[in-house]
């Protein structure tokens, strides 16, 4: 097996067949035509389910903390096993590992029992690895790598124990789950009695390989050769021996037969794929053999500038003369071989004006060689030299036009060769610019001709109407120019130009103009009889499209065409045949006599029936829906007028049923089909014998149709099959209806196979269909032979899709071709058979097949009448083909456009509505994965919901749509992080599995999808059962997956991911890593395409090898990981967002190797460059970019490159709102923002260090802090300027923000959901969907508004001037407290400046702020003195370090006549600081804040602007209108004895008439009163939730007497109109308790600001009941009696309380003012 060269020195592996060749300066990030890979040294068998390695690498212990699994039963601090796992005593830890492995195995068994509702597990038994003994393995040796340095003695002791390792000695034993559980419990009990320490101490240093040791009477073998990790394997009664032999054969074949055999196998298995993956697979399999390398293509370099500056006319003329007379360009030079042409190029000096002409000659030579050989590198060389020629030939030089045409022809060839539409776009751009530049040379007509054709080709590819319009316009202009000049242009035929233009006009729908062009083409092509015939035929066809209801004109055109052509010409014969047919049909179309009879009332019942039949017949020919609708009424009247006893009753019932059935097929109205089935049932009852058989057949067909298109379910299908069997029973071969009834019977068997997946059904269906086809050839048969062939081809395709027998796909295409060939292009079934053949070709998957499939689908679409039932389905099919055929953004956009047209055509009730919406949902998701637009994800979920909801019964089809919906939800969770998406993704995946029958061909796919969802949820939430579920389901899936299945590789990877995850989470399962490595290797060996790519497999292998390194500490392992990841990064498309994950892992691996080699070697630089590449990926998820940016800044800061660091950090901050969009539930927003903690302050520090100024640093802080708050403020801010200037845009903006504001509370309730979620909540009309859509649309509207003059800063950050204006009432101090420095940014009316705080040390800062913890502010009376002392020390530190320097900079020293008012804004560690109480509080001291300034707080300056702008600055005159909310007693909390006194005091001050009191209210009762009171006072308990600060709450009482909560979330959602002051006399109402969300300021005080209150009074920690009463009374006296502002009133109240005992800071310091 070839692996990268191990490089103990840390240098990159050298160039070899197995490793990429790169420069020494940077890792290889650009795509390369040659692929390369690395592989693990693990060898193993290709497996299904259980995987056994032939050779496993040794296990090495890691740091003990890695082995502490996050399981609930281990997290309790008093748990003995948890203590054992944490100990450094290796004997104790060894014992704990054994016990833990048994406990995990026990959980595994339990989980298998928990999944027993799965049919696959009903008869399964557990192959349990029964622990029989304990083995001791001695690991010796040199080269043992240890983790971090420890003290010398401790290191020796650890090393000593690392030489011994406890393992379970196991043997396989199959038993029931109950017996296995009992065995595990018994083993745990026995091993629990074993005294490890005592027994180990008796061991000598060296242990013989066959030695024994005794432990508590048990003999334990030291030979650990059979030891392994315990695990769960499911025995599904599979012939294990046979499978093992087959798997051995696969591996042996690849290992022993050499490179060529491996390459051939891989090529055969990957038909249509590039050979790169095959070579890589071979390289990873064959060791010690050199692979024959391809000759490398010349490095072509970047494309040159194609638009050089023009030269003068004189200079151009001279050069043109030289080109034509003495230059290298001759007629013969255009037929040179590349070798000779290269010699010509080399002979021309570089500076010679003939040099570009030589490049053109060489380009032409390469082009001609490509046309002969089809060798891609030659085409690339042709392109390269053509670009050089064009870049050097300056206009108006004549050779430039020739070179441009040559270049565009090469682009066209590349398009034909690769189907990449971007080549057409490049050619169109080149020619368009040439025309626009005013080129008027002799080649101008040819340029126009080529440009028109290129637009036509792109229209054919993407179906964009702009291209069709441009194609027609350019062609029309060309013809006009040629007709005006009246001269012939070599290479252009005017008649052909008219004909081509006619075809494009017909495509455009301009049929009259198209007919004119065809007539001109015919008239001008006298010397070209074939062109003339083609033009006359096209004229007739177009006239038929235009005049299908008036055949006179068409007949006249046919007659004139026959006369104009020689009688022997094939087109003339065809026209004569069509003329005869049309004349015959015309006679049958005349139903005027019948209509007149009916209208005059003279028609009898038979006349009505004849009229209905005639209208139906004409509908079949003309496809006019009016005829079909008109046929319904006479048939219905005739049936109603016929008595049941009448012998014609059954016939008339059948006629009405047939008309309704036909109309359903056209329009898809369910009511028509239901009524048709009821009528056929009447016909069955009214008939007998052959007539009854016919009625049963027709009823069977209608039931089958309802089952197929309307999710009719099992009942309709079983009835259809029974009726088909009854209709066919007793028939003899040769009867007229024999073939038709066999056809119907075959379809029913096929339908049952689709439902249940039983192979016998599809085999029977195909057998019956073959019999029908054979019978249809017999004379007298009424069967539709082309229809039978079409059905047979569809059956063969279905069997091929399921069982992959190659003969089936070949045969199905043959029958589809024959079916189409025997169907007239005017048949109503022609379009369906075109689509049938297209489907066969698409499934075979060859590039040429797909191109043809697209063409067939487009022809079908053009031939389908608008509104026909299959129109929508055809558009959906076309969308899928376009997406497959044309790579890149253009193809995806075209597919979405086609899919949206299909959805528009599929109105409610359409039979194909579910698959049409399902296809569009998948396309939206795939476009998101390519382009990264989150709005596509929301659309994918919404349309996916429609598809699933349309299926009323649990069928496999519904399972398919639920599966796609689950994938979209999972993708959205990974991008945005909404927990409800993850919960619903798991739920829909489980429902999809339940909808899919056990034997259905898609059952394995549903199993692996649910497995993947469990893995994803485990990563997000860490629930142990999810991981165990995933492993069990993964093994079940692999048992059902044949190795030749295209998705086998992907399924192997999913199971490998689950095993890898268990290894990394519960480190003792080291065997899981080995199994995952082998599975991933097998995924590459067995790669057959499917929904995964080789780069993704290599990415997984790299991650696994990284984990192997962490276990082994072998440098070679991390080097191999890097090799795999480099190959993946090289091969993956640069534009795919998934590339970000690969780059992230690669950069981390470089960093790991760099650190492992003591920070030596180039890996540090490689890591930096790779992170930079990730940072520059604009399509990467924002969180991935931010993480990469943070890594880059780590290096840049250490290198002193502060300007670069500041720029990157600032862009990171700009990305932060995209990581936590408002469409998320609030708790999910918090979870995302926790990942970004510290970035805004680091960014501000970098900006200041770089010298960019305080104002820019402040804007960065404002942008990155209070993100959730900022969005709510934007939704509620005044926007009168926009309303006045742009009322329409304002209306759109206002509607969206009201939608978001009104649904915020409802959306927030969708957190922590699982089974409570319903599918309906994903629909477009649901609150969640509306909110997500509105959030994305709001971004677009804001972008429009900000593009308007004068609105560039609309709802963005306050400008510098606006921030200075906010300082009119007093300075604003904003802290940027980072790791390396801390600055205070001071905003005054005059300036924005920064003050560096030199005493700042981050370690001390954390200790004095966050590090104080709850133990200081909460505790008993006995600890009060100690806690108060700690707080005093912290406040003194705060004064010295952060406050006193700021006041000094402001010139505040306490001597001011009027005490200044300062607004404080903390960040980082200082978010938790009490700035108002900083300083020394001994008697008489003024070295403190409260003695010098009045203090207020604000979360951000934007919040301060909002608070001041929403309400008048003073309370209204007269009644203050106070609401008192009091809770003297609270369920489950202590009584508040001071509440009554507090309430009485406030009532006395405010006046009883002005006060409303709510005692023990509910949260809703309080919310109902908010809008009608200007002041609200709470006297109650408060709680602060560190884990979820949005759940922090004021405690109230529910109706039932239990505790009720008024939470931060609920208050934030309120939007009051009369609010002024909110006084929160409760504990911790302004406490910033969530450390990682400190910059968001999520607490009760901030919530009331958002609710519209200008001023909020709260507490930073627990407050004393007596102090609360005192401060509240003094505050309201100041507010209502003295008439001072809220901030001043609170300051005075706290000062008075402080006077009692200044040093009791815990008593007086918690009270603060927040707001205006």
């Amino acid at each position: 097996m070839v692996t990268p060269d191990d490089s103990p020195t840390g240098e990159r592996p050298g160039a070899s067949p197995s490793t990429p060749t790169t420069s020494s300066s940077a890792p290889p990030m650009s795509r390369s035509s040659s692929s390369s890979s690395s592989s693990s040294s693990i060898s193993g068998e290709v497996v299904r389910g259980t995987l056994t390695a032939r050779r496993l690498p040794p296990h090495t212990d890691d740091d003990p903390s890695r082995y502490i699994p996050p399981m609930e039963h281990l997290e309790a601090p008093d748990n003995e096993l948890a203590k054992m796992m944490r100990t450094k005593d290796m004997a104790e830890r060894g014992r704990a590992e054994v016990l833990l492995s048994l406990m995990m195995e026990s959980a595994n068994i339990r989980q298998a029992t928990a999944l027993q509702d799965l049919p696959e597990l009903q008869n399964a038994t557990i192959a349990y690895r029964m622990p029989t003994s304990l083995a001791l393995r001695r690991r010796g040796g040199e080269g043992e790598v240890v983790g971090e340095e420890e003290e010398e003695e401790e290191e020796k002791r650890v090393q000593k124990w690392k030489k011994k390792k406890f393992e379970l000695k196991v043997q396989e034993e199959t038993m029931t789950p109950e017996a296995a559980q009992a065995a595990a419990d018994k083993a745990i009990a026995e091993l629990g009695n074993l005294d490890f320490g005592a027994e180990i101490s008796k061991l000598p240093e060296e242990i013989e390989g066959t030695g024994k040791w005794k432990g508590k009477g048990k003999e334990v073998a030291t030979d650990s050769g059979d030891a392994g990790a315990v695990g769960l394997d499911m025995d599904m009664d599979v012939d294990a021996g046979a499978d093992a032999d087959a798997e051995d054969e696969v591996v042996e074949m690849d290992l022993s037969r050499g490179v060529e055999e491996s390459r051939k196998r891989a090529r055969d298995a990957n038909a249509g794929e590039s050979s790169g993956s095959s070579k890589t697979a071979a390289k990873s399999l064959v060791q010690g053999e050199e692979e024959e390398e391809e000759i490398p293509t010349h490095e072509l370099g970047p494309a040159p500038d194609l638009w050089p500056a023009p030269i003068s006319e004189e200079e151009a003329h001279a050069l043109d003369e030289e080109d034509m007379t003495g230059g290298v360009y001759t007629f013969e030079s255009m037929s040179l071989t590349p070798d000779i042409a290269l010699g010509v190029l080399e002979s021309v000096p570089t500076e010679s004006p003939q040099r570009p002409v030589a490049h053109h000659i060489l380009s032409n030579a390469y082009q001609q060689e490509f046309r002969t050989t089809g060798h891609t590198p030659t085409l690339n060389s042709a392109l390269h030299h053509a670009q050089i020629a064009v870049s050097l030939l300056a206009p108006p030089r004549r050779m430039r036009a020739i070179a441009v045409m040559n270049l565009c022809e090469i682009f066209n060839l590349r398009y034909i060769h690769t189907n990449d539409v971007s080549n057409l776009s490049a050619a169109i751009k080149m020619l368009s610019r040439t025309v626009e530049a005013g080129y008027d040379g002799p080649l101008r007509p040819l340029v126009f001709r080529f440009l028109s054709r290129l637009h036509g080709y792109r229209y054919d590819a993407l179906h964009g109407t702009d291209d069709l319009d441009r194609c027609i316009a350019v062609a029309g202009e060309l013809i006009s120019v040629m007709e005006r000049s009246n001269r012939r242009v070599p290479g252009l035929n005017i008649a052909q130009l008219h004909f081509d233009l006619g075809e494009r006009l017909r495509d455009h729908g301009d049929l009259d103009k198209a007919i004119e062009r065809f007539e001109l083409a015919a008239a001008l092509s006298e010397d070209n009889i074939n062109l003339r015939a083609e033009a006359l035929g096209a004229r007739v066809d177009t006239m038929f499209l235009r005049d299908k209801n008036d055949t006179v004109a068409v007949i006249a055109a046919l007659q004139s065409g026959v006369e104009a052509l020689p009688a022997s010409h094939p087109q003339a014969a065809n026209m004569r045949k069509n003329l005869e047919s049309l004349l015959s049909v015309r006679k049958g179309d005349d139903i005027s006599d019948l209509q007149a009879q009916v209208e005059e009332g003279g028609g009898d019942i038979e006349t009505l029936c004849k009229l209905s039949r005639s209208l139906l017949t004409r509908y079949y020919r003309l496809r006019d829906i009016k005829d079909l609708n008109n046929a319904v009424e006479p048939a219905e009247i005739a049936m109603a007028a016929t008595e049941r006893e009448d012998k014609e009753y059954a016939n008339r019932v059948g006629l009405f049923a047939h008309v309704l059935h036909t109309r359903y097929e056209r329009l898809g109205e369910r009511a028509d089909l239901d009524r048709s089935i009821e009528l056929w049932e009447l016909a069955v009852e009214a008939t007998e014998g052959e007539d009854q058989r016919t009625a049963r057949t027709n009823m069977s067909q209608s039931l089958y149709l309802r089952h197929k298109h309307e999710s009719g379910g099992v009942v309709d299908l079983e009835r259809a099959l029974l009726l088909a069997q009854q209709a066919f029973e007793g028939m003899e071969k040769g009867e007229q209806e024999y073939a038709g009834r066999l056809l119907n019977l075959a379809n029913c068997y096929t339908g049952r196979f689709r439902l249940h997946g039983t192979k016998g059904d599809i085999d029977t269906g195909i057998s019956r269909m073959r019999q029908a086809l054979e019978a249809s050839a017999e004379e007298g048969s009424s069967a539709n032979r082309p229809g039978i062939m079409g059905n047979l081809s569809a059956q063969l395709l279905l069997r091929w899709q399921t069982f992959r027998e190659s003969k089936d796909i070949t045969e199905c295409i043959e029958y589809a071709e024959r079916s189409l060939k025997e169907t007239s292009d005017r048949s109503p079934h022609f379009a369906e058979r075109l689509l049938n053949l297209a489907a066969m070709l698409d499934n075979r998957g060859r590039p040429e097949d797909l191109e043809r499939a697209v063409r067939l689908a487009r022809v079908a679409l053009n031939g389908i009448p608008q509104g026909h039932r299959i129109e929508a389905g055809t558009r959906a099919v076309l969308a899928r083909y376009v997406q497959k055929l044309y790579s890149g953004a253009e193809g995806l956009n075209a597919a979405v456009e086609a899919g949206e047209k299909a959805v528009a055509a599929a109105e409610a009730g359409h039979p194909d509505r579910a698959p049409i919406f399902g296809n569009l949902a998948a396309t939206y998701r795939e476009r998101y994965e390519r382009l990264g637009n989150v709005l596509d994800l929301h659309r994918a979920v919404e349309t996916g919901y429609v598809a699933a909801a349309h299926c009323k019964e649990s069928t496999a089809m519904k399972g398919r749509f639920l599966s796609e919906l689950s994938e979209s939800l999972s993708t959205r969770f990974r991008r945005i992080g909404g927990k409800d998406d993850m919960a619903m993704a798991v739920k829909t995946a489980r429902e999809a599995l339940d909808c899919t029958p056990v034997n259905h061909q898609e059952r394995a796919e549903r199993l692996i999808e649910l497995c993947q969802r469990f893995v994803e949820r485990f990563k997000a939430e860490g629930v142990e059962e999810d991981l165990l579920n995933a492993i069990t389901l993964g093994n079940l899936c692999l048992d059902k997956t044949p190795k030749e299945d295209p998705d086998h590789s992907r399924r192997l990877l999913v199971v490998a991911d689950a095993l890898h995850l268990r290894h990394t989470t519960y480190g003792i399962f080291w065997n899981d890593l080995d199994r995952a490595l082998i599975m991933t290797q097998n995924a590459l060996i067995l790669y057959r395409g499917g929904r995964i790519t080789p780069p993704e497999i290599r990415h997984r292998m790299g991650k696994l090898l990284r984990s192997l390194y962490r276990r082994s500490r072998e440098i070679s392992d991390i080097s191999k990981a890097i090799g795999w990841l480099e190959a993946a990064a090289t091969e993956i498309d640069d534009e795919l967002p998934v590339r970000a994950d690969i780059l992230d892992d690669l950069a981390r691996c470089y960093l790991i190797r760099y650190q492992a080699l003591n920070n030596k070697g180039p890996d540090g630089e490689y890591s930096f460059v790779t992170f930079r590449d990730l940072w520059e990926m604009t399509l990467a998820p924002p969180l991935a970019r931010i993480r990469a940016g943070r890594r880059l800044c780590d290096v840049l800061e250490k290198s002193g490159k502060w300007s670069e660091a500041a720029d990157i950090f600032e862009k990171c901050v700009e990305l932060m709102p995209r990581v936590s969009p408002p469409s998320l539930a609030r708790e999910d927003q918090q979870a995302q923002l926790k990942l970004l903690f510290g970035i805004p302050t680091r960014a501000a520090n970098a900006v200041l260090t770089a010298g960019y100024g305080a104002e820019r640093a402040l804007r960065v802080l404002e942008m990155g802090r209070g993100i959730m708050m900022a969005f709510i403020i934007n939704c509620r801010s005044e926007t009168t300027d926009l309303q006045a200037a742009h009322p329409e845009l304002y209306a759109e903006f206002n509607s969206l923000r009201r939608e978001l504001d009104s649904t915020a509370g409802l959306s927030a309730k969708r957190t922590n959901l699982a089974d409570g979620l319903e599918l309906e909540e994903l629909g477009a009309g649901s609150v969640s969907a509306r909110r997500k859509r509105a959030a994305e649309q709001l971004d677009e509207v804001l972008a429009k508004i900000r593009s308007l003059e004068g609105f560039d800063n609309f709802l963005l950050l306050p400008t510098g001037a606006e921030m200075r204006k906010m300082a009119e009432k007093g300075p604003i101090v904003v802290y940027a407290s980072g790791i390396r420095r801390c600055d205070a940014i001071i905003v005054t009316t005059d300036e924005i400046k920064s003050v560096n705080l030199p005493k700042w040390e981050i370690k001390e800062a954390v200790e004095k702020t966050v590090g104080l913890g709850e133990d200081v502010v909460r505790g008993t009376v006995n600890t009060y003195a100690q806690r108060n002392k700690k707080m005093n020390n912290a406040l003194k530190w705060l004064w010295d370090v952060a406050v006193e320097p700021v006041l000094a900079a402001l010139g505040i020293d306490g001597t001011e006549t009027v005490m200044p008012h300062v607004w404080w804004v903390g960040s980082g560690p200082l978010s938790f600081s009490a700035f108002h109480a900083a300083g020394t509080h001994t008697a008489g001291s003024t070295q403190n804040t409260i003695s010098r300034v009045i203090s207020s707080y604000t979360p951000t300056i934007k919040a301060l602007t909002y608070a001041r702008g929403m309400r008048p600055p003073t309370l209204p005159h007269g009644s203050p209108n106070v609401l008192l909310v009091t809770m003297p007693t609270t369920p489950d909390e202590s009584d508040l004895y001071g509440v009554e006194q507090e309430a009485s005091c406030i009532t006395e001050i405010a006046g009883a008439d002005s006060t409303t009191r709510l005692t023990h209210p509910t949260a809703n009762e309080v919310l109902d009163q908010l809008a009608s009171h200007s002041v609200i006072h709470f006297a109650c308990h408060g709680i602060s939730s560190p884990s979820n600060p949005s759940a922090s709450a004021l405690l109230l009482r529910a109706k039932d007497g239990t505790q009720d909560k008024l939470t931060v979330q609920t208050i934030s959602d309120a939007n009051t109109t009369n609010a002024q002051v909110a006084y929160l006399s409760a504990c911790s109402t302004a406490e910033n308790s969530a450390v990682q969300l400190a910059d968001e300021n999520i607490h009760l005080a901030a919530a009331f600001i958002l609710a519209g209150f200008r001023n909020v009074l709260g507490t930073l920690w627990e407050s004393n009941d007596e102090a609360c009463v005192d401060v509240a009374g003094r505050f309201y006296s100041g507010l209502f009696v003295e008439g001072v502002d809220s901030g001043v009133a609170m300051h005075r109240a706290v000062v008075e309380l402080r006077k009692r005992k200044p040093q009791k800071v815990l008593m007086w310091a918690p009270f603060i003012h927040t707001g205006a």
Side-chain angles (χ1 to χ4, degrees), residues 925-941:
R925 179 176 56 79
E926 289 168 24
R927 187 168 71 171
Y928 159 75
E929 290 172 349
R930 177 79 189 189
L931 303 180
N933 187 345
V934 179
L935 192 56
D936 278 335
L937 266 183
H938 300 327
R939 291 169 178 150
V941 171

Side-chain angles (χ1 to χ4, degrees), residues 1230-1406:
Q1230 292 171 178
Q1232 294 296 97
L1233 288 170
K1234 283 180 180 179
L1235 304 173
L1236 309 176
F1237 176 62
I1239 289 179
T1241 51
R1242 285 190 65 185
N1245 291 156
V1247 167
L1248 289 169
T1249 308
Y1252 287 154
E1255 183 173 328
R1256 182 168 168 182
L1258 181 56
R1259 287 180 64 82
V1260 168
L1261 280 172
E1262 283 286 301
M1263 192 189 316
R1265 298 179 65 258
I1267 289 173
M1268 295 168 64
M1269 175 182 287
F1271 182 80
I1272 297 174
I1273 289 174
N1274 286 347
C1275 286
R1276 299 175 182 176
S1277 297
E1278 292 295 332
T1279 53
T1280 51
D1281 291 346
L1282 177 67
Q1283 187 176 12
H1286 303 279
E1288 292 183 0
L1289 199 55
Y1290 167 79
E1292 185 179 3
F1293 163 74
N1294 202 42
S1295 172
L1296 290 170
R1297 69 172 180 169
R1298 285 180 181 277
E1299 173 72 31
L1300 285 164
D1301 199 25
S1302 64
T1303 58
L1306 297 171
S1307 177
K1309 295 174 184 176
R1310 307 309 315 156
T1311 57
N1312 291 327
L1313 297 175
D1315 295 334
L1317 276 169
E1318 297 298 334
L1319 191 63
E1320 290 75 13
E1321 296 176 44
L1322 301 176
S1326 69
V1327 170
S1328 174
R1330 281 165 35 214
R1331 183 170 176 79
K1332 289 178 171 66
R1333 191 166 55 250
E1336 297 297 333
Q1337 291 172 345
L1338 184 62
D1339 284 343
E1340 296 176 2
V1341 172
L1342 285 172
K1344 288 182 188 176
I1345 294 171
R1346 289 166 186 160
S1347 67
L1348 300 173
E1349 185 177 355
F1351 290 90
D1352 53 318
N1353 199 47
F1354 181 76
L1355 292 185
L1356 290 174
L1357 304 175
T1359 63
E1362 290 169 338
M1363 288 190 283
R1364 290 195 300 274
K1365 186 177 180 180
M1366 283 296 105
E1368 288 176 348
K1369 291 187 176 184
I1372 305 168
V1373 180
V1374 183
Y1375 288 94
S1377 54
I1379 298 173
R1380 293 181 173 85
R1381 63 181 285 170
C1382 180
D1383 298 88
I1385 301 173
I1386 303 173
V1387 183
T1388 65
T1389 54
D1390 297 325
E1391 63 177 340
I1392 299 175
K1393 65 179 181 179
S1394 65
V1395 176
N1396 182 251
L1397 305 178
K1399 295 181 181 180
W1400 175 264
E1401 290 185 6
I1402 186 62
K1403 185 175 181 181
E1404 184 182 19
V1406 171

